[in-house]
């Protein structure tokens, strides 16, 4: 039941009611205390006034002055005070009202207190003589007790009443405090309510649109904002951790897939030259001396060409493996890009006879310095140039290289060959991918050249694209970080 009530009454109302009850209890206690103290003060003042009158009567009585109506008129001209003389046994020997009082007054509280301690008073009691309410004050002399009394009328009521303005001031102050408590509890509960809303959003995983700046200003608002920001940072860190873990797992899975694919492709590619060499040598061995010298020479020449192809394949596989598996151990140094490109061009030209009429038009700025692996850079340009010579069907290639303001060398390479069918453009950088499988094998291609080009460019933090030129030939655009 109590829990249901708490859920029904919101946090602001509970705080407000708690503060109101507490403040009004304090206000009521303070008001009662102050009223009591003020009343005691006024009663004390009135009693002191009557006690002074009593002492005058005692003095005159003990000095032999007749206490009669003339004396009373002189003592109290207004007649608002009634004087009674009572002996120590409680018998009334004189009363200024003029009425005979027969009843013994020894049991009256103010009289008993006066006999015992010298003075006493009773705030309000009805007189048996005239049935009116009186305030009594008694004082003891040597042989007599003088008691003065004042009838409760509007004047005495006003004298002993509490100051209404004072009470109104206290109540008004409490009302103001209640209003302040309302707004304070509203401000406090706003932060609590927003934290609750944030907790609900966090539970459902939707905190992106939660505005921290909407928290109220103040310590609780600041703490609430810090809690929200802390949770957001932790959530972001956890998401980044999970994302990095997924990326790492994907990369590892991709590496394993590529490694398996590479192994299968290598196994397939190795079989062709190995089987060719084996077939040639088996034929030479089986036929022995019966084979003509020309046939023997032809088979040995085919075996030699396949060993060269096998050697090239193993060399390319070594480069690919080194970039994929041990890129962090590849050494880098600074070198001039123009010198490297011109050296590769001379090497490629020397591989082919002059009657092929091969020409490379190279235009490279002199001051381009690369901080990388020169061997991999050489493989980029060597594979592009050899690819143009063997597979493009053209005899000219053009290379332009300029230093960019973005920290990269920008390179354009193209030939005057026949290009590549558009459906193959997106796949030419894949390992062992061949546009014309039969022709590339005849020319000694391994199917890894352009894959080496792409991976070497990526190793040097660059990018590469390939496209067909409108006038014919294949065009490569790539960058290398300076």
């Amino acid at each position: 039941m109590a829990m249901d009530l708490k859920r029904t009454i919101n946090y602001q109302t509970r705080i407000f009611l708690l503060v109101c009850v507490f403040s009004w209890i304090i206000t009521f206690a303070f008001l009662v205390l102050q009223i009591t103290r003020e009343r005691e003060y006024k009663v004390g003042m009135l009693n002191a006034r009557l006690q002074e009158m009593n002492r005058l009567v005692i003095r005159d009585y003990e000095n032999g002055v007749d206490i009669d109506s003339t004396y009373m008129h002189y003592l109290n001209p207004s007649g608002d005070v009634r004087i009674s003389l009572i002996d120590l046994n409680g018998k009334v020997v004189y009363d200024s009202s003029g009425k005979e009082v027969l009843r013994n007054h020894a049991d009256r509280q103010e009289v008993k207190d006066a006999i015992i301690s010298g003075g006493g008073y009773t705030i309000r009691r009805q007189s048996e003589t005239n049935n009116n309410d009186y305030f009594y004050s008694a004082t003891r002399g040597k042989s007599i007790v003088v008691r003065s009394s004042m009838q409760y009328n509007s004047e005495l009521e006003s004298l002993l009443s509490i100051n209404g303005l004072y009470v109104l001031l206290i109540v008004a102050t409490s009302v103001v405090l209640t209003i302040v408590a309302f707004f304070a509890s509203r401000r406090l509960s706003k932060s609590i309510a927003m934290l609750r809303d944030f907790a609900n959003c966090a539970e459902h995983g939707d905190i992106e649109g939660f505005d921290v700046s909407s928290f109220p200003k103040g310590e609780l608002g600041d703490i609430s904002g810090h809690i929200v920001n802390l949770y957001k940072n932790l959530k972001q860190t956890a998401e980044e951790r999970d994302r990095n873990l997924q990326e790492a797992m994907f990369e590892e899975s991709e590496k394993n897939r590529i490694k398996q694919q590479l192994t299968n492709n290598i196994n397939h590619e190795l079989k062709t030259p190995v089987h060719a060499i084996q077939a040639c040598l088996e034929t030479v061995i089986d036929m022995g001396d019966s084979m003509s010298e020309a046939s023997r020479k032809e088979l040995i020449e085919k075996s030699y060409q396949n060993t060269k192809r096998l050697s090239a394949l193993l060399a390319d596989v070594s480069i690919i493996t080194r970039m994929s598996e041990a890129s962090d151990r590849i050494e880098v140094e600074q070198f001039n890009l123009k010198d490297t490109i011109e050296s590769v061009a001379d090497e490629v030209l020397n591989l082919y006879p002059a009657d092929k009429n091969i020409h490379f038009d190279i235009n490279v700025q002199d001051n381009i310095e690369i901080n990388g692996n020169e061997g991999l850079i050489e493989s980029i340009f060597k594979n592009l140039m050899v690819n143009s010579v063997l597979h493009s069907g053209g005899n000219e290639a053009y290379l332009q290289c300029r230093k960019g303001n973005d920290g990269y060398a920008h390179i354009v390479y193209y030939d005057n060959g026949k290009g590549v069918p558009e459906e193959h453009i997106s796949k030419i950088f894949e390992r062992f991918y061949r546009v014309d499988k039969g022709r590339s094998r005849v020319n000694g291609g391994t199917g890894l050249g352009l894959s080496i080009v792409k991976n070497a460019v990526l190793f040097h933090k660059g990018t590469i694209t390939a496209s067909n030129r409108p006038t014919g030939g294949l065009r490569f655009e790539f960058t290398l970080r300076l």
Side-chain angles (χ1 to χ4, degrees):
M1 184 68 178
M3 292 299 294
D4 293 339
L5 185 61
K6 284 186 176 180
R7 293 191 184 98
T8 303
I9 303 176
N10 62 32
Y11 189 76
Q12 175 186 350
T13 305
R14 293 203 302 270
I15 292 179
F16 176 66
L17 291 177
L18 181 63
V19 173
C20 284
V21 169
F22 183 71
S23 62
W24 279 100
I25 287 175
I26 293 178
T27 300
F28 180 75
F30 180 74
L31 188 61
V32 170
L33 178 62
Q34 288 300 109
I35 289 174
T36 302
R37 291 181 62 183
E38 183 178 0
R39 187 173 181 82
E40 288 178 351
Y41 172 76
K42 291 184 175 182
V43 168
M45 292 292 292
L46 178 59
N47 182 56
R49 172 187 163 191
L50 295 178
Q51 289 280 330
E52 182 65 25
M53 184 178 290
N54 292 342
R55 282 190 286 270
L56 289 175
V57 174
I58 291 172
R59 184 195 65 183
D60 292 340
Y61 177 80
E62 290 179 348
N63 288 331
V65 176
D66 290 334
I67 306 301
D68 53 15
S69 59
T70 303
Y71 175 84
M72 288 302 164
H73 180 74
Y74 172 79
L75 179 67
N76 181 34
S78 63
D80 60 339
V81 178
R82 177 183 172 187
I83 301 294
S84 300
L85 275 63
I86 304 168
D87 63 21
L88 299 182
N89 294 319
K91 181 181 179 181
V92 178
V93 296
Y94 173 79
D95 190 272
S96 63
S97 66
K99 297 181 179 181
E100 184 179 3
V101 180
L102 301 177
R103 192 179 189 286
N104 192 285
H105 282 40
D107 59 344
R108 299 290 193 264
Q109 187 62 49
E110 69 276 5
V111 175
K112 287 194 297 184
D113 291 341
I115 293 173
I116 295 173
S117 60
Y121 67 88
T122 298
I123 296 177
R124 189 165 193 156
R125 189 177 67 245
Q126 189 179 62
S127 172
E128 295 180 357
T129 305
N130 54 20
N131 296 324
N132 292 324
D133 290 338
Y134 284 87
F135 178 93
Y136 296 96
S137 177
T139 307
R140 175 183 172 176
K142 293 180 180 179
S143 59
I144 198 76
V145 173
V146 176
R147 187 186 70 175
S148 56
S149 58
M150 290 187 68
Q151 184 179 347
Y152 270 87
N153 52 25
S154 58
E155 183 179 353
L156 184 58
E157 290 281 0
S158 175
L159 177 65
L160 296 180
S161 65
I162 303 303
N163 191 335
L165 182 62
Y166 177 76
V167 175
L168 182 62
L169 179 62
I170 293 178
V171 173
T173 302
S174 297
V175 171
V176 171
L177 290 177
T178 301
I179 295 173
V180 172
F182 172 78
F183 286 103
S185 63
R186 182 181 180 184
R187 185 181 183 86
L188 179 65
S189 65
K190 184 178 180 181
S191 295
I192 302 297
M194 291 187 67
L195 274 179
R196 180 196 59 204
D197 294 341
F198 173 76
N200 291 333
C201 292
E203 183 179 2
H204 295 89
D206 182 22
I207 63 171
E208 297 301 326
F210 198 88
D211 186 11
V212 179
S213 63
S214 59
F215 277 104
K217 301 298 182 183
E219 292 182 357
L220 184 58
D222 292 342
I223 293 173
S224 301
H226 288 320
I227 292 174
V228 173
N229 286 329
L230 180 61
Y231 179 85
K232 285 186 174 181
N233 292 335
L234 289 175
K235 187 173 185 295
Q236 183 178 1
T237 302
E239 289 176 349
E240 290 179 356
R241 179 202 61 199
D242 294 341
R243 185 166 55 251
N244 293 336
L245 181 60
Q246 290 178 356
E247 290 177 355
M249 292 175 64
F250 175 77
E251 288 179 1
E252 186 64 25
S253 174
E254 191 67 10
K255 280 185 178 179
N256 292 333
R257 186 189 66 80
I258 293 174
K259 187 184 294 184
Q260 182 64 38
Q261 184 183 36
L262 181 61
T263 302
N264 294 336
N265 289 336
I266 291 173
N267 183 52
H268 175 74
E269 293 294 328
L270 287 175
K271 286 179 180 179
T272 301
V274 169
H275 287 168
I277 293 171
Q278 183 179 359
C280 290
L281 294 179
E282 284 179 351
T283 302
V284 172
I285 293 173
D286 291 342
M287 295 188 66
D289 294 338
S290 62
M291 178 179 287
S292 67
E293 189 64 27
S295 297
R296 188 189 305 272
K297 185 177 180 181
E298 181 183 357
L299 291 175
I300 292 175
E301 181 67 23
K302 287 183 179 180
S303 297
Y304 176 67
Q305 292 299 328
N306 278 285
T307 57
K308 287 175 63 178
R309 180 183 170 194
L310 186 59
S311 177
L313 177 62
L314 293 174
D316 287 348
V317 168
S318 176
I319 294 174
I320 288 286
T321 303
R322 188 158 58 119
M323 286 189 291
S324 299
E325 303 295 333
S327 60
D328 56 331
R329 292 197 291 271
I330 296 177
E331 296 181 358
V332 295
E333 59 182 350
Q334 189 169 334
F335 55 90
N336 184 274
L337 185 60
K338 182 177 181 179
D339 294 342
T340 301
I341 294 175
E342 290 179 345
S343 175
V344 171
D346 291 339
E347 179 184 349
V348 173
L349 288 174
N350 291 330
L351 293 176
Y352 303 99
D355 58 4
K356 275 188 171 286
N357 198 25
I358 299 170
H359 175 70
F360 293 125
D361 186 356
I362 297 179
N363 186 356
V364 182
Q365 285 183 332
D366 295 330
N367 59 343
I368 299 179
E369 298 290 327
I370 297 291
N371 189 44
N373 183 272
E374 191 171 10
L376 293 181
I377 296 295
E378 289 176 349
S379 70
I380 293 174
F381 295 101
K382 184 175 182 179
N383 277 291
L384 290 176
M385 293 175 184
V386 170
N387 189 71
S388 295
V389 173
L390 295 181
H391 307 300
S392 73
N395 64 344
E396 292 184 357
Y398 305 87
L399 191 152
Q400 298 177 353
C401 181
R402 295 287 181 269
K403 181 191 293 187
N405 295 326
D406 55 358
Y408 286 84
H410 293 261
I411 303 157
V412 177
Y413 177 89
Y414 59 91
D415 56 49
N416 65 342
K418 61 182 180 180
V420 173
E422 287 297 328
E423 65 268 21
H424 296 285
I425 286 290
S426 62
K427 301 179 180 179
I428 61 174
F429 292 112
E430 294 180 6
R431 297 171 183 179
F432 297 108
Y433 186 83
R434 293 182 175 91
V435 176
D436 186 347
K437 297 183 180 180
R439 185 164 180 246
S440 63
R441 282 199 174 95
V442 170
N443 291 332
T446 65
L448 292 174
L450 292 181
S451 179
I452 291 174
V453 170
K454 181 178 180 179
N455 282 276
V457 169
L458 293 177
F459 176 81
H460 290 86
K461 310 302 180 185
T463 58
I464 185 169
T465 60
S467 61
N468 283 311
R469 298 175 63 234
T471 57
L474 195 60
R475 175 188 178 95
F476 296 90
E477 296 185 41
F478 58 99
T479 59
L480 299 171
R481 192 167 68 177
L482 299 175

